Amino acid sequence: MDLRGLGLLYNAAVRFIDESVEKGLGDKIAICYRDERIHYNELQEKVNQTGNMLRELGYKLEDRLLMVCHDTPEFIYSFFGAIKIGAVPIPVNTMMKPSDYEYFLNNSRAKGLIIHEDIWEKIEVYKERFCFLKDIIIIPDSESEQSGTHLNFLQLMNRASKKLDAAMTNKDDQAFWLFSSGSTGNPKGVIHLQHDMEYAFSTYAKKILHISEEDRCLSASKLFFAYGLGGGMYFPLGAGASTVLVKERATPEAMFQAIETYKPTIFFGVPTLYGAMIDYVSRTGKQFDLSSLRVCVSAGEALPKAFYRKWKEMYNVDILDGIGSTEALHIFLSNRIGDVKAGSSGKVVPGYEAKIVDEMGRELPPNEMGDLLIRGDSIAHGYWNLHEQNKKKFVGEWLHTGDKYYKDEEGYFWYCGRSDDMLKVGGIWVSPVEVENCLLQHENVLEAAVVSVQNENNLVIPKAYVVLKDRTPSKEMEDELKNFVKQQLAHYKYPRIIEFIDELPKTATGKIQRFKLRELLKSNSAQ
Ligand code: 3UK
């Protein structure tokens, strides 16, 4: 009996790797990495070899493996090799501290660790603390290198068979986890199922990006982020298209260079990067050829209108702002090609539903701000071992995003900040994002973050931290910025205090960490 043909079996590695070969795309480029071009035939073989290597080491259905991998082809081999045998890969951020890996390993109880050599060297001192860990599989810089007493990924993989039958998983089996950083508390293990990537692919990637075999994707967001995992891996692979992997940090220079060299058609970035790229060009006067791009994507935080306009003016290509989350796997509200309302997160992606509710859970009419809830089949199964948080976050079919939004009459969604970052000033909601966007429109402002502080009457007032572009802070500049906001927005929204700083605290994804600024405020006022 053909269980797969009957739809009883489903394995994401079969869908995203084997299917392209079966469709006759074996000779097409799947991955561009430095000078290497990896075709679908070879990709399938490497995934099979990695799966066989893991099987030979004893990995079975549901066994977890932590992946601490840079954006190199081995990331993709490990991720899909594990999934193909039914094991559960957990890619995590490569820029963390040793104690964070201790947390990831012990919290997930992963038996195996696949890790690039340079990162292992930094965390090796902690190895006695990894309570459940059995195998350490090191990805060395070259195959011939010794990996000490540990397993050498390249040697083991190359020795393994190139043929592999997928495990008997079905669409609701666990496929992989991601850790969600969150603004407070420990990271949460987000459990995604075999069918989740296909859902995000067939909705956002197909219906919004219209991705096809002809495309070539470049993601500035690393593969271990949910955003990069789609843009840099399963979107292009699912379409039989190609991906460009860049191991190095996504600086403006590196990104311009990668676009000129590999000529991608779709680029995935975050607002801070677009801002830095625009700034880089205006500072250096250098010109770059971005004509290969047919569309750019921005996510992670709201894209300031000014960045959208400037980019369009410079390169004549749209940046589609869309909101996604690790829990939802990818983007569920988005602007569309040829249909962009700059400053908004666009409309609901087909396949998802969204509603905005008040504190009582009642749906709100247009133009009223409330909590954004979404529904759609790529939403995670839940958090690992967090019973109370699961009850609050995953309510029936609805995911509570934790974001404040309103929807205009035309169905475009406007981001107003995180539920926990919102300020109530004089009894009225003030969105820190709105004030920041206003400040960013001022010609001397590079970055801005707004948080609440209490005045002498314990009332909330907005305070702005501002990074200036090549300007020395002054009282005049402070007054000018206050007046600038007063002119643009309702009077009560202007920042009563402005502090100039050299840089803003940000997460690895480039999100401004307002909670860090709030902590700074608390510790300063305690002194
Ligand atoms: C915020 C946005 C305004 C919002 C992500 C694309 O960022 C991603 O996932 P995370 O789990 O964070 C989710 C939260 O980030 N956010 C994301 N995009 C936007 N706010 N406008 C946006 N365009 O607070 C959301 O709840 O790190 C992005 C695809 C997959 C992702 N996981």
Side-chain angles (χ1 to χ4, degrees):
M1 194 167 44
D2 177 8
L3 294 173
R4 205 170 298 281
L6 285 171
L8 295 172
L9 291 182
Y10 180 88
N11 185 281
V14 172
R15 159 66 186 94
F16 284 93
I17 305 291
D18 299 344
E19 220 170 75
S20 292
V21 176
E22 281 158 22
K23 273 201 268 178
L25 300 175
D27 292 329
K28 240 194 122 234
I29 295 173
I31 306 171
C32 304
Y33 176 63
R34 298 186 173 171
D35 294 335
E36 290 176 56
R37 299 291 176 272
I38 298 151
H39 298 81
Y40 274 94
N41 277 330
E42 193 192 344
L43 172 62
Q44 185 187 40
E45 286 175 3
K46 296 283 190 199
V47 167
N48 286 349
Q49 288 182 297
T50 309
N52 278 320
M53 162 184 90
L54 295 172
R55 230 177 223 173
E56 282 158 26
L57 288 169
Y59 286 83
K60 297 196 171 65
L61 285 159
E62 292 154 43
D63 284 341
R64 291 184 285 279
L65 281 145
L66 199 81
M67 287 174 50
V68 192
C69 302
H70 298 298
D71 280 19
T72 68
E74 289 80 15
F75 183 109
I76 302 184
Y77 307 157
S78 305
F79 185 82
F80 282 114
I83 288 181
K84 195 155 180 183
I85 63 159
V88 180
I90 311 174
V92 294
N93 193 328
T94 53
M95 298 172 275
M96 308 293 270
K97 305 255 160 10
S99 60
D100 296 311
Y101 296 110
E102 176 189 350
Y103 175 81
F104 292 141
L105 283 165
N106 290 342
N107 174 266
S108 68
R109 303 185 195 130
K111 278 195 215 158
L113 170 65
I114 302 180
I115 185 164
H116 266 100
E117 193 173 21
D118 59 313
I119 312 173
W120 174 249
E121 282 164 5
K122 291 189 196 130
I123 71 166
E124 196 172 0
V125 285
Y126 267 57
K127 74 174 181 225
E128 300 309 321
R129 304 193 191 185
F130 306 153
C131 313
F132 306 95
L133 190 61
K134 204 165 61 71
D135 302 306
I136 297 152
I137 309 169
I138 310 261
I139 307 175
D141 289 333
S142 71
E143 192 185 336
S144 56
E145 230 164 281
Q146 292 299 318
S147 45
T149 51
H150 305 301
L151 304 166
N152 182 318
F153 182 96
L154 297 178
Q155 284 172 2
L156 289 176
M157 175 186 70
N158 287 330
R159 236 186 269 151
S161 158
K162 294 178 178 169
K163 296 249 174 298
L164 172 66
D165 287 328
M168 306 267 263
T169 51
N170 66 48
K171 71 177 183 43
D172 295 341
D173 263 299
Q174 290 195 19
F176 62 99
W177 297 8
L178 295 169
F179 272 95
S180 161
S181 44
S183 46
T184 50
N186 279 326
K188 303 178 278 273
V190 179
I191 301 169
H192 278 288
L193 306 180
Q194 296 283 344
H195 68 264
D196 292 357
M197 289 188 285
E198 172 59 19
Y199 199 83
F201 173 83
S202 62
T203 55
Y204 175 71
K206 275 315 263 185
K207 304 227 170 75
I208 302 295
L209 298 178
H210 303 293
I211 193 166
S212 79
E213 269 173 56
E214 311 299 316
D215 279 308
R216 180 173 279 195
C217 299
L218 169 64
S219 171
S221 165
K222 296 293 168 202
L223 297 172
F224 58 77
F225 291 117
Y227 181 34
L229 195 74
M233 191 182 72
Y234 66 86
F235 290 172
L237 298 184
S242 315
T243 183
V244 178
L245 298 184
V246 178
K247 187 180 178 189
E248 292 71 30
R249 223 164 61 84
T251 58
E253 230 171 335
M255 290 298 103
F256 278 126
Q257 202 198 341
I259 297 171
E260 287 198 328
T261 310
Y262 299 101
K263 305 195 177 356
T265 57
I266 311 181
F267 177 68
F268 297 85
V270 295
T272 341
L273 176 64
Y274 286 111
M277 288 171 87
I278 292 167
D279 194 51
Y280 183 81
V281 170
S282 67
R283 260 188 307 113
T284 62
K286 289 188 189 162
Q287 296 293 314
F288 297 99
D289 178 7
L290 270 56
S291 59
S292 65
L293 295 174
R294 66 173 182 84
V295 63
C296 295
V297 175
S298 173
E301 60 180 325
L303 179 75
K305 218 189 230 176
F307 293 178
Y308 169 82
R309 294 218 174 110
K310 191 77 199 155
W311 191 262
K312 178 102 183 172
E313 187 187 302
M314 287 163 72
Y315 301 114
N316 192 29
V317 60
D318 272 338
I319 305 180
L320 301 184
D321 187 6
I323 173 179
S325 74
T326 309
E327 290 82 354
L329 191 55
H330 221 276
I331 291 174
F332 47 85
L333 298 179
S334 180
N335 284 285
R336 285 153 171 70
I337 299 168
D339 175 12
V340 173
K341 235 190 211 187
S344 84
S345 306
K347 298 185 201 160
V348 187
V349 172
Y352 294 87
E353 277 174 76
K355 62 181 178 184
I356 292 167
V357 302
D358 67 10
E359 296 85 5
M360 307 296 291
R362 286 176 302 222
E363 202 164 342
L364 290 166
N367 297 322
E368 281 193 38
M369 187 178 75
D371 296 310
L372 177 71
L373 272 56
I374 63 140
R375 173 155 84 171
D377 231 353
S378 59
I379 292 174
H381 169 74
Y383 296 131
W384 171 250
N385 274 358
L386 289 167
H387 180 63
E388 291 307 320
Q389 298 200 38
N390 275 331
K391 285 191 281 188
K392 295 196 182 89
K393 190 80 186 176
F394 303 91
V395 183
E397 292 184 290
W398 294 93
L399 172 74
H400 286 241
T401 64
D403 295 304
K404 295 276 181 198
Y405 263 88
Y406 72 87
K407 180 167 84 169
D408 67 21
E409 270 109 2
E410 293 171 295
Y412 294 83
F413 287 76
W414 296 82
Y415 180 69
C416 306
R418 293 285 304 168
S419 309
D420 35 17
D421 282 328
M422 290 297 291
L423 329 179
K424 227 169 195 182
V425 181
I428 319 168
W429 282 116
V430 172
S431 154
V433 181
E434 188 185 18
V435 182
E436 287 160 13
N437 281 341
C438 178
L439 284 164
L440 283 172
Q441 282 168 27
H442 190 280
E443 56 180 8
N444 298 121
V445 175
L446 180 66
E447 290 181 323
V450 172
V451 294
S452 68
V453 292
Q454 294 188 329
N455 68 6
E456 61 281 11
N457 299 319
N458 283 339
L459 289 170
V460 167
I461 53 168
K463 167 170 180 172
Y465 287 92
V466 170
V467 182
L468 290 175
K469 285 183 195 161
D470 301 320
R471 271 294 192 106
T472 6
S474 64
K475 180 81 183 70
E476 285 72 23
M477 180 52 72
E478 190 181 326
D479 291 339
E480 185 177 322
L481 292 179
K482 284 181 186 172
N483 285 327
F484 182 76
V485 179
K486 278 191 215 170
Q487 280 159 19
Q488 312 273 326
L489 305 177
H491 188 271
Y492 65 86
K493 293 182 177 173
Y494 86 92
R496 311 304 192 268
I497 306 172
I498 293 183
E499 188 176 325
F500 297 107
I501 52 173
D502 291 336
E503 72 183 312
L504 296 175
K506 294 202 198 80
T507 64
T509 14
K511 252 177 240 152
I512 296 170
Q513 292 172 305
R514 292 197 190 78
F515 73 97
K516 287 237 168 108
L517 294 169
R518 284 194 290 262
E519 280 164 13
L520 186 78
L521 273 169
K522 257 191 233 149
S523 64
N524 285 349
S525 63
Q527 278 166 13

